[in-house]
Amino acid sequence: MNRNLSKAVDDYFTETIVAPDPALEEALAANAAAGLPSIDVSAPQGKLIHLLARMTGARQALEIGTLGGYSTIWLASALPDDGRLITLERNARHAEVARRNVARAGLGGKVEVRTGAALETLPKIAAEGLGPFDFVFIDADKVSNAAYLEWALRLSRPGTAIVVDNVVRDGEVADARSADPDVIGVRRMFELMAREPRLSATAIQTVGAKGWDGFALAVVN
């Protein structure tokens, strides 16, 4: 795969149909200035998440893995004015950068950034009765993907859409002998999807500025 060419295609899509957004560009600049890793979704991928949330009519959304809030802004901007997004971030410094980015984008009234390990935060969300969520985006540590999917199901309703990022791993997901913990985590998630009667799911490979990867897409039956 020619990564320079695939990035050029992403750039073309961004310039023509995605359209640059100052709030999103400022968020990426703030993330870089704060030294956050450059692992955000690409602009076309962010727009895909945004459109999927709009297509499903989502009002209440959950994001597992905030980083600096770039995908958070994409997702929150798809919700109606009275919508709500709860996003979970383990790293307190990253969470603070995300809060500033979200506020700068004018979305602070819709978004709550919760700090802490997601597997500790998710039970608290359930205990508070904050579900069910209409849309769940999972983009955190891949080792815990199966556990995150289980929590997404617990906090869902029939019709809830679940999107999981980074599931192709440069093609390594097809290698049953892989010792990579991230690959093992993704494969365990797919195995759960396969045996879970409450889910209808598929996965799509992507190439672009972020290399060779992809999304898993599921709906709760």
Side-chain angles (χ1 to χ4, degrees):
M1 181 183 67
N2 185 325
R3 293 209 172 187
N4 289 333
L5 181 57
S6 61
K7 181 182 182 303
V9 172
D10 263 3
D11 291 343
Y12 169 70
F13 290 155
T14 300
E15 292 165 3
T16 54
I17 58 173
V18 175
D21 183 312
L24 289 163
E25 293 173 353
E26 289 171 5
L28 290 179
N31 291 353
L36 273 61
S38 181
I39 55 174
D40 308 273
V41 297
S42 68
Q45 291 168 343
K47 186 65 173 288
L48 173 64
I49 296 162
H50 173 95
L51 291 175
L52 288 172
R54 286 177 58 189
M55 288 175 182
T56 56
R59 303 179 68 85
Q60 306 291 324
L62 174 66
E63 180 182 46
I64 302 174
T66 314
L67 192 61
Y70 181 75
S71 58
T72 309
I73 294 170
W74 275 116
L75 181 50
S77 64
L79 304 181
D81 290 342
D82 60 348
R84 184 183 191 190
L85 168 60
I86 297 177
T87 182
L88 312 180
E89 173 55 44
R90 176 190 294 269
N91 186 299
R93 188 170 65 86
H94 295 179
E96 188 53 41
V97 173
R99 290 187 184 99
R100 292 196 296 268
N101 285 335
V102 167
R104 189 185 305 111
L107 296 167
K110 289 185 189 179
V111 177
E112 179 186 358
V113 182
R114 294 199 177 193
T115 306
L119 292 180
E120 297 175 3
T121 308
L122 288 162
K124 297 176 183 177
I125 289 173
E128 293 172 33
L130 295 178
F133 293 94
D134 309 309
F135 192 95
V136 182
F137 179 49
I138 300 173
D139 188 14
D141 66 292
K142 312 312 168 188
V143 173
S144 302
N145 265 3
Y148 295 149
L149 181 61
E150 288 176 338
W151 273 107
L153 275 167
R154 292 182 196 182
L155 294 166
S156 69
R157 58 163 179 79
T160 293
I162 301 171
V163 179
V164 188
D165 194 14
N166 305 131
V167 300
V168 173
R169 318 301 304 170
D170 281 323
E172 288 189 43
V173 71
D175 183 2
R177 297 171 299 176
S178 175
D180 185 325
D182 290 338
V183 174
I184 292 169
V186 171
R187 288 179 62 89
R188 285 176 177 164
M189 180 204 68
F190 278 126
E191 290 162 7
L192 174 58
M193 282 184 171
R195 66 175 183 266
E196 177 51 70
R198 290 173 292 173
L199 286 176
S200 295
T202 190
I204 300 295
Q205 300 181 71
T206 61
V207 296
K210 300 300 179 180
W212 180 19
D213 216 323
F215 291 93
L217 305 151
V219 65
V220 178
N221 297 319

